[in-house]
């Protein structure tokens, strides 16, 4: 099928390349010329494992093109909206500027029978408003909502083999049927492989996405709240998580206590959900998400407090090696990153921070040039008075404590992800402190 993908960020670039890889003819469109130039040359503008490979292989088939001109969307039968919906400045609500601009820019290029498919995460009610705009354009095109659940770091496999598909279809039966047929064509490979499909209305499809992210955020903040209780009782939150996770109604996934969640989705999605619920007069229904957010932000402060404590009451003029900048491993994304936040806070308190990360130094140094960056852990550790691990990259998890001890000034480490073998680090002579652990 002929597809266009409007917006070539973390979501759109992967979607465009993956759809071409699956056999569709795809044009990816973005207003950023640098991004389009990189993608057209087969280079990923951000770190995402597997993306460079499919960019090259799909481009070689001639099925994948990139453009800065919306006019190039003409001729495609399905148009995906994959632009960002960041947090509005000075508010918790989502900023829909890019989504509205994408749909408005696309409308003049739509033809009878085309389908516009929203993938961006939006406040419930947005799809109905956009469908009305598409209908009013008189193009005869339809709109569907098809939320995306990909995780950064696993975006390629999550797109090619998703764990479920959700279609939010127009209310009118014949239109819904037409939209479904087109979407079934797009996702023919995944459907043939038995991927579960939920066919529903616009509002449910929009809510599936935000409620999934709200649930994941709640699960993380739940275990981090238990970490706070563990800290005042001498309990060990990692053992607690193992024990409660053995109940398969609870499960062990997303029960890793640490410095908390970040990234371009979870933090802003729970805030936008709260703002939207308040607009709808149902603020109390998701008021707990404010607690989820507050618990999450307290864990960053906890790491900073532990650093102050470990250094005898002040970090001023102390050398601190910060291991990690990205919001999670396998990504160079620093949006709302707990790791970067901790590094910046420690620097603000007068510490001499040297941060390292296998991928996120270029993105972090653009936003925070005041920090010192080291290309590898050895350079960051050199002479450090304290080590703070805040992103659980394999390079850090598998670090040899004996090797690391020879580099630092003082063998003291805060494991902000509870990811190191505490016994091994202590045996090597380190003062080890985890989160929610004695
Ligand atoms: C998330 C959702 O998982 C995905 O379905 C949605 O489409 C977009 O948002 P992503 O932002 O890529 O994906 O990251 P995810 O893997 O969910 O991790 C989010 C954050 O939670 C990271 O900062 C991670 O370090 C943290 N986390 C995760 C924990 O602190 N503890 C855990 O147990 C799990």
């Amino acid at each position: 099928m002929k597809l266009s993908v409007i917006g070539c960020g973390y979501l759109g670039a992967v979607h465009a390349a993956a759809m071409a890889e699956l056999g569709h003819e795809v044009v990816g469109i973005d207003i950023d010329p640098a991004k389009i130039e990189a993608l057209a040359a087969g280079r990923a503008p951000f770190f995402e494992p597997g993306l460079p490979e499919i960019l090259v292989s799909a481009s070689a088939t001639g099925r994948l093109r990139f453009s800065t001109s919306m006019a190039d969307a003409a001729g495609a039968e399905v148009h995906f909206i994959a632009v960002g919906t960041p947090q509005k400045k000075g508010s918790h609500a989502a900023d829909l500027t890019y989504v509205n601009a994408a749909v408005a820019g696309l409308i003049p290029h739509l033809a009878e029978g085309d389908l516009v498919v929203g993938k961006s995460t939006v406040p419930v009610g947005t799809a109905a408003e956009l469908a009305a705009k598409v209908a009013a354009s008189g193009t005869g095109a339809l709109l569907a909502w098809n939320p995306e659940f990909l995780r950064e770091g696993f975006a390629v496999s999550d797109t090619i083999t998703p764990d479920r598909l959700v279609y939010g279809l127009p209310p009118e039966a014949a239109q819904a049927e037409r939209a479904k047929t087109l979407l079934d064509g797009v996702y023919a490979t995944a459907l043939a492989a038995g991927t579960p499909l939920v066919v529903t209305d616009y509002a449910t499809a929009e809510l599936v996405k935000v409620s999934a992210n709200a649930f994941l955020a709640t699960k993380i903040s739940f275990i981090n709240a238990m970490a706070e209780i563990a800290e005042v009782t001498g309990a060990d939150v990692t053992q607690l998580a193992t024990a409660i996770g053995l109940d398969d109604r609870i499960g062990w996934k997303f029960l890793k206590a640490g410095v908390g969640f970040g990234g371009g989705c979870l933090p802003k999605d729970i805030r936008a959900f709260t703002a939207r619920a308040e607009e709808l007069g149902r603020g109390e229904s998701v008021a707990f998400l404010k607690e989820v957010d507050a618990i999450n932000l307290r864990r960053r402060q906890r790491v900073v407090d532990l650093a102050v404590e470990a250094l005898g009451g002040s970090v001023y003029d102390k050398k601190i090696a910060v291991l990690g900048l990205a919001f999670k491993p396998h990504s160079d994304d620093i949006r709302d990153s707990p790791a970067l936040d901790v590094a910046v806070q420690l620097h603000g308190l007068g510490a001499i921070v040297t941060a390292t990360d296998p991928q996120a130094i270029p993105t972090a140094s653009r936003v925070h040039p005041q920090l010192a960056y080291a290309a590898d852990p050895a350079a960051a550790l050199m002479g450090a008075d304290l080590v703070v691990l805040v992103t659980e990259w394999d390079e850090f998890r598998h670090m040899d404590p004996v090797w690391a001890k020879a580099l630092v000034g003082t063998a003291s480490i805060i494991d902000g992800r509870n990811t190191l073998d505490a016994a091994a680090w202590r045996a090597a002579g380190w003062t080890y402190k985890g989160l929610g652990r004695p």
Side-chain angles (χ1 to χ4, degrees):
M1 293 172 74
K2 288 189 173 174
L3 316 177
S4 82
V5 179
I6 320 298
C8 291
Y10 287 95
L11 162 60
V14 174
H15 191 67
M19 292 299 115
E21 185 73 8
L22 289 171
H24 300 300
E25 197 177 306
V26 185
V27 57
I29 298 174
D30 200 287
I31 51 172
D32 180 348
K35 206 177 268 178
I36 289 301
E37 196 189 318
L39 288 165
R43 289 194 314 272
F46 48 85
F47 177 74
E48 182 60 50
L51 178 59
E53 290 81 352
I54 62 165
L55 274 176
V56 169
S57 60
S59 300
T61 64
R63 290 195 302 264
L64 181 61
R65 295 180 296 130
F66 290 95
S67 167
T68 51
S69 168
M70 194 67 100
D72 285 324
E77 28 186 349
V78 179
H79 308 268
F80 289 97
I81 306 295
V83 294
T85 51
Q87 190 175 327
K88 235 186 227 170
K89 282 201 170 46
S91 146
H92 276 178
D95 182 352
L96 294 178
T97 311
Y98 305 110
V99 170
N100 289 330
V103 173
L106 180 63
I107 281 174
H109 307 290
L110 293 175
E112 176 78 36
D114 282 8
L115 182 66
V116 180
V117 181
K119 278 214 153 290
S120 309
T121 304
V122 292
V124 57
T126 307
E129 277 176 26
L130 294 174
K133 285 185 190 166
V134 171
S137 71
T139 54
L142 296 175
L143 181 128
W145 215 260
N146 168 225
E148 179 57 59
F149 305 104
L150 65 79
R151 297 160 299 165
E152 286 177 30
F154 303 92
V156 173
S157 56
D158 283 353
T159 306
I160 292 179
T161 50
D163 55 9
R164 80 280 210 194
L165 289 163
V166 175
Y167 300 170
L169 299 180
E172 203 267 312
Q175 293 187 349
E177 195 49 47
R178 230 171 81 201
K180 182 174 182 297
T181 304
L182 284 166
L183 284 169
D184 284 350
V186 171
Y187 295 119
T189 307
L191 291 170
T195 304
L197 167 65
V198 178
V199 177
T200 183
D201 52 84
Y202 291 151
T204 307
E206 293 167 310
L207 280 171
V208 167
K209 175 62 196 252
V210 283
S211 58
N213 278 353
F215 190 85
L216 294 173
T218 304
K219 208 169 173 193
I220 299 169
S221 276
F222 174 84
I223 201 66
N224 280 333
M226 296 307 107
E228 292 185 332
I229 303 295
E231 276 156 13
V232 292
T233 53
D236 185 328
V237 75
T238 62
Q239 292 177 355
L240 182 145
T242 304
I244 64 171
L246 285 167
D247 180 336
D248 63 12
R249 292 169 304 174
I250 297 174
W252 53 268
K253 287 184 183 166
F254 270 65
L255 276 188
K256 276 196 75 183
V259 69
F261 59 81
C265 292
L266 262 42
K268 65 111 176 146
D269 286 355
I270 59 168
R271 291 173 198 148
F273 194 9
T274 309
R276 183 66 183 133
E278 284 167 359
E279 278 171 20
L280 294 165
R282 283 287 178 276
E284 71 273 24
S285 305
V286 291
F288 68 92
L289 291 177
K290 289 187 179 166
E291 257 340 291
V292 166
D293 199 8
I295 293 165
N296 191 52
L297 296 175
R298 280 206 298 272
R299 298 323 282 164
R300 303 176 184 195
Q301 188 57 48
R302 173 72 182 157
V303 173
V304 173
D305 292 347
L306 282 175
V308 171
E309 206 176 284
L311 290 167
S314 169
V315 300
Y316 187 79
D317 241 9
K318 296 287 170 60
K319 284 187 180 171
I320 304 183
V322 174
L323 305 181
L325 292 161
F327 83 104
K328 67 172 190 180
H330 315 293
S331 172
D332 65 356
D333 195 346
I334 48 131
R335 288 176 293 173
D336 214 334
S337 168
L340 183 57
D341 202 6
V342 165
V344 169
Q345 283 196 53
L346 291 171
H347 175 268
L349 292 172
I352 304 162
V353 172
T354 306
T356 188
D357 188 288
Q359 292 296 335
I361 293 175
T363 46
S365 57
R366 269 199 295 275
V367 188
H368 290 290
Q370 77 277 23
L371 299 179
Y373 296 95
D376 55 61
L381 293 174
M382 203 64 77
D385 299 307
L386 175 70
V387 181
V388 180
L389 188 160
V390 263
T391 312
E392 69 276 37
W393 285 98
D394 285 344
E395 288 86 331
F396 307 151
R397 294 177 53 217
H398 300 142
M399 214 158 63
D400 176 359
V402 176
W403 169 84
K405 188 164 183 279
L407 297 170
V408 295
T410 307
S412 173
I413 186 160
I414 297 168
D415 180 1
R417 292 289 180 180
N418 289 334
T419 194
L420 301 173
D421 178 347
W425 281 72
R426 287 190 178 123
W430 285 79
T431 304
Y432 171 96
K433 193 89 191 81
L435 262 65
R437 306 175 77 180

